[in-house]
Amino acid sequence: MYGASMQGTVASYDAATRSGVLLLDDGTEMRFPARAFDASGLRLLRLGQRVRIDTDPDGEVVRVTLPTMI
């Protein structure tokens, strides 16, 4: 399954590449690849949208979902 989970805000999202940058609550920027977006089942993300981030043991983003989704 997925590793550690945290929340952040969408700082940028490129629909063409399905990748972007998230801003964590402590101000840290965290990039996410297309495969993390694809794993979410979402169709799009909006700037400023609150999301939950699942990471692997190395800290790489593996899934970006809505906070209400499990």
Side-chain angles (χ1 to χ4, degrees), residues 3-56:
S5 182
M6 61 189 99
Q7 291 190 13
T9 304
V10 177
S12 70
Y13 172 68
D14 183 342
T17 63
R18 299 179 328 281
S19 62
V21 177
L22 304 168
L23 187 61
L24 302 182
D25 293 340
D26 67 1
T28 303
E29 288 188 353
M30 182 174 262
R31 297 191 176 280
F32 67 91
R35 67 181 176 277
F37 177 76
D38 294 344
S40 73
L42 298 174
R43 293 186 192 191
L44 61 94
L45 290 172
R46 294 175 286 113
L47 296 182
Q49 185 172 17
R50 191 78 175 157
V51 293
R52 189 180 81 212
I53 306 144
D54 294 317
T55 59
D56 66 14

